[in-house]
């Protein structure tokens, strides 16, 4: 029955001279989210985007499900486009109400007329349409304050869009409008949520995972790839680098004071992340660090770790409660993957009493024993990279630094 999906956006409408740039990016992201489905028109007007539907319930459900995950969208509504004819608008309004009718329910008409040349104003149309529906449907009552169903009628120059449902979107900004960031993706609960929240602010997120075979299993890498498949449903195309960290981690294990190993390991991860950021022309590192959660996440440790890079480090979940992070993880469907019992390299060789207030000078002295720059460069050259796409077969890439 439905002809179009009405797309509403919120924060974008507050933009000034660069508003069209944000709108164009949102249209591009919408188009990408619909890949694999039948081709369709996407039209942009002031304050609205219209996505053509194919007339079936299955198509409307699939399109609304995909668009409800696209950042920048506040809500979507499957709608019928009626010609600017009162009798046609009456008939279609009745059809839309019957689509959600339940005996004894209440309803109201909410007509908005942006096309001022239409010969009936909004109040007149509310009365005409309300009367028509009450005349043709039994066991129905009007409630203008708290109705079970609202029949919305938007009268525009190209016709009247009629709909009764609004499906929430994730809000935020379109992914890609605020440049790129490198996400340290461990496979735990926190980092996928951090990536999701970064995407919500318009950042194109690129994943970087560290693995240490044979101490970590192939299943831990597969776990991260499964997380990547979920993340890309929200942010679109997702690139994932996998760094083989074994030799660096063994060197740290052999030569560094046990209490400082965790902090120094994180400092080398940051250094590698910064090199990936240079290659990708990314402007920030994104982490799932949460203040006070573990020894490496005291403010002193966070400061000592980020001291080795000179690009911004964004920590979207830094001040969230663990339950808040867990709830978000469930919302984006990564929780059940993150809790699979396959440990990543961050949990290897953990000392009984890690240093929680590390001094930068002391860390630098420990690092002088390592002399592992060559190992770092080799690990960067040997990284794997894969591209994950939300609704198509994944694309394999050959990585060369």
């Amino acid at each position: 029955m439905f002809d179009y999906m009405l797309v509403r956006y919120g924060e974008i409408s507050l933009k000034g001279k660069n508003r069209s740039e944000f709108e164009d990016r949102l249209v591009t992201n919408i188009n990408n989210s619909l890949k694999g489905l039948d081709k369709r028109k996407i039209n942009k007007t002031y304050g609205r985007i219209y996505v053509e539907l194919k007339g079936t319930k299955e198509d409307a459900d699939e399109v609304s499900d995909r668009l409800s995950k696209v950042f920048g969208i506040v809500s979507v509504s499957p709608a019928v486009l009626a010609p600017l004819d009162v009798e046609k608008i009456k008939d279609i309004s009745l059809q839309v109400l019957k689509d959600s009718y339940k005996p004894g329910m209440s309803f109201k008409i909410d007509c908005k007329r942006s096309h001022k040349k239409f010969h009936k104003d909004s109040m007149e149309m509310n009365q005409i349409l309300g009367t028509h529906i009450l005349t043709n449907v039994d066991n129905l009552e009007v409630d203008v304050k708290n109705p079970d169903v609202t029949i919305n009628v938007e009268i525009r120059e190209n016709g009247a869009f009629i709909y009764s449902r609004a499906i929430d979107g994730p809000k935020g900004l379109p992914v890609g409008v605020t440049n790129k960031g490198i996400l340290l993706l461990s496979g735990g609960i926190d980092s996928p949520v951090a990536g999701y929240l970064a995407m919500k602010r318009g950042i194109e997120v690129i994943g970087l995972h560290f693995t240490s075979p044979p101490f970590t299993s192939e299943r831990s890498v597969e776990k991260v790839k499964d997380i990547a498949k979920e993340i890309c449903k929200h942010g679109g195309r997702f690139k994932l680098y996998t760094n083989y960290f074994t030799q660096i981690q063994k060197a740290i294990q052999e030569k560094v004071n046990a209490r400082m190993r965790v902090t120094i390991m994180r400092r080398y991860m940051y250094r590698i992340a910064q090199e990936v950021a240079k290659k990708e022309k990314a402007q920030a590192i994104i982490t799932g660090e949460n203040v006070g959660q573990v020894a490496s996440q005291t403010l002193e440790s966070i400061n000592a770790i980020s001291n080795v890079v000179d690009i911004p480090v964004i920590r979207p979940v830094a001040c969230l409660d663990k339950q808040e992070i867990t709830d978000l993880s469930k919302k984006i469907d990564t929780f059940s993957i993150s809790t699979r019992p396959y440990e990543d390299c961050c949990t290897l060789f953990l000392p009984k009493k890690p240093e929680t207030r590390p001094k930068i000078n002391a860390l630098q002295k420990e690092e002088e024993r390592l002399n592992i720059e060559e190992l770092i460069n080799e690990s960067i050259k040997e990284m794997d990279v894969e591209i994950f796409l939300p609704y198509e077969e994944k694309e394999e890439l050959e990585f060369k630094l």
Side-chain angles (χ1 to χ4, degrees):
M1 177 172 70
F2 297 107
D3 307 311
Y4 288 91
M5 191 68 72
L6 270 62
V7 178
R8 304 176 188 83
Y9 50 84
E11 191 172 344
I12 294 174
S13 62
L14 303 177
K15 299 299 176 185
K17 294 180 180 178
N18 58 349
R19 173 173 170 161
S20 62
E21 178 185 338
F22 283 70
E23 291 174 331
D24 290 345
R25 171 63 74 161
L26 181 56
V27 170
T28 298
N29 292 352
I30 288 172
N31 193 41
N32 289 337
S33 77
L34 299 176
K35 283 185 175 177
L37 301 180
D38 293 338
K39 288 187 177 180
R40 63 194 71 220
K41 295 177 182 176
I42 301 175
N43 298 319
K44 181 184 75 171
T45 64
Y46 194 81
R48 284 279 194 280
I49 294 170
Y50 301 95
V51 178
E52 181 188 18
L53 297 177
K54 299 302 181 183
T56 66
K57 183 179 184 304
E58 291 75 17
D59 183 68
D61 289 346
E62 181 66 25
V63 171
S64 65
D65 180 63
R66 294 191 183 194
L67 296 189
S68 66
K69 296 183 178 71
V70 176
F71 288 111
I73 291 178
V74 170
S75 65
V76 298
S77 291
V80 182
L81 177 60
L84 293 176
D85 178 283
V86 173
E87 292 303 315
K88 294 289 186 185
I89 295 173
K90 286 165 61 178
D91 289 345
I92 292 173
S93 297
L94 181 60
Q95 289 179 36
V96 171
L97 180 125
K98 287 182 175 177
D99 187 56
S100 54
Y101 173 74
K102 292 180 181 176
M105 76 176 196
S106 59
F107 83 105
K108 78 170 185 178
I109 304 292
D110 185 5
C111 182
K112 291 183 172 60
R113 188 189 59 148
S114 60
H115 178 43
K116 300 303 181 186
K117 292 183 179 179
F118 187 70
H119 62 287
K120 302 286 186 185
D121 65 24
S122 298
M123 290 300 295
E124 289 177 292
M125 288 301 294
N126 285 342
Q127 293 173 359
I128 291 169
L129 299 177
T131 300
H132 180 68
I133 288 174
L134 285 172
T135 303
N136 288 278
V137 181
D138 295 329
N139 202 9
L140 187 67
E141 63 182 36
V142 175
D143 184 343
V144 295
K145 292 185 178 178
N146 189 29
D148 295 317
V149 172
T150 298
I151 304 299
N152 299 273
V153 181
E154 295 185 10
I155 298 177
R156 296 173 176 261
E157 289 189 17
N158 57 336
F161 291 90
I162 303 169
Y163 57 92
S164 64
R165 290 191 298 143
I167 301 143
D168 289 340
K171 306 180 179 63
L173 297 173
V175 170
V177 295
T178 52
N179 215 302
K180 294 186 279 189
I182 305 301
L183 170 67
L184 302 189
L185 189 58
S186 68
I189 296 171
D190 300 343
S191 56
V193 173
Y196 173 84
L197 293 175
M199 290 189 289
K200 189 171 185 176
R201 298 313 303 159
I203 299 174
E204 180 184 341
V205 171
I206 296 166
L208 172 59
H209 177 65
F210 293 91
T211 184
S212 291
F215 304 108
T216 55
S217 70
E218 181 59 29
R219 287 185 173 182
S220 69
V221 177
E222 290 302 321
K223 182 169 99 169
V224 170
K225 292 180 180 179
D226 287 344
I227 288 173
K229 292 172 186 172
E230 291 300 326
I231 289 177
C232 73
K233 292 178 183 175
H234 301 275
R237 182 179 185 272
F238 184 80
K239 183 183 286 187
L240 174 65
Y241 286 90
T242 300
N243 179 278
Y244 294 91
F245 202 61
T246 308
Q247 297 307 317
I248 297 171
Q249 206 160 9
K250 286 173 68 175
I252 293 172
Q253 165 74 5
E254 290 169 4
K255 298 180 180 179
V256 169
N257 181 312
R259 297 194 65 191
M260 298 187 187
R261 284 174 194 160
V262 173
T263 310
I264 288 177
M265 179 187 71
R266 297 286 295 174
R267 282 161 65 91
Y268 279 106
M269 287 178 172
Y270 269 49
R271 289 178 171 113
I272 292 170
Q274 181 164 258
E275 291 305 310
V276 176
K278 289 177 184 175
K279 169 182 167 51
E280 291 288 344
K281 296 182 172 58
Q283 301 298 311
I285 296 170
I286 303 159
T287 82
E289 288 165 318
N290 181 249
V291 176
Q293 190 177 98
V294 294
S296 64
Q297 295 174 11
T298 64
L299 290 182
E300 292 87 347
S301 292
I302 288 173
N303 179 52
I305 292 167
S306 55
N307 175 263
V308 299
V309 296
D310 54 16
I311 61 174
V313 179
I314 300 173
R315 302 176 177 87
V317 301
C319 297
L320 295 185
D321 179 85
K322 189 64 181 179
Q323 188 59 51
E324 293 174 307
I325 300 172
T326 299
D327 291 345
L328 278 170
S329 177
K330 291 177 179 176
K331 176 183 174 182
I332 63 175
D333 295 326
T334 57
F335 180 78
S336 61
I337 305 171
S338 293
T339 51
R340 293 176 190 166
Y342 310 122
E343 302 292 348
D344 60 69
C345 69
C346 294
T347 59
L348 297 176
F349 312 129
L350 289 179
K352 291 183 178 178
K353 293 183 178 180
E355 179 61 73
T356 57
R357 302 181 188 281
K359 306 296 183 186
I360 291 175
N361 288 344
L363 293 168
Q364 290 171 337
K365 283 187 179 179
E366 290 293 322
E367 288 175 348
E368 287 174 0
R369 302 178 186 174
L370 291 171
N371 191 25
I372 58 175
E373 292 304 315
E374 186 176 342
L375 291 179
I376 291 175
N377 292 333
E378 285 300 314
S379 80
I380 292 173
K381 289 179 182 176
E382 294 174 0
M383 284 192 294
D384 292 336
V385 61
E386 290 183 55
I387 301 292
F388 294 86
L389 302 171
Y391 301 108
E392 296 179 354
E393 293 296 320
K394 71 178 181 181
E395 174 186 347
E396 301 284 355
L397 287 186
E398 181 181 354
F399 170 68
K400 291 181 180 178
L401 190 66

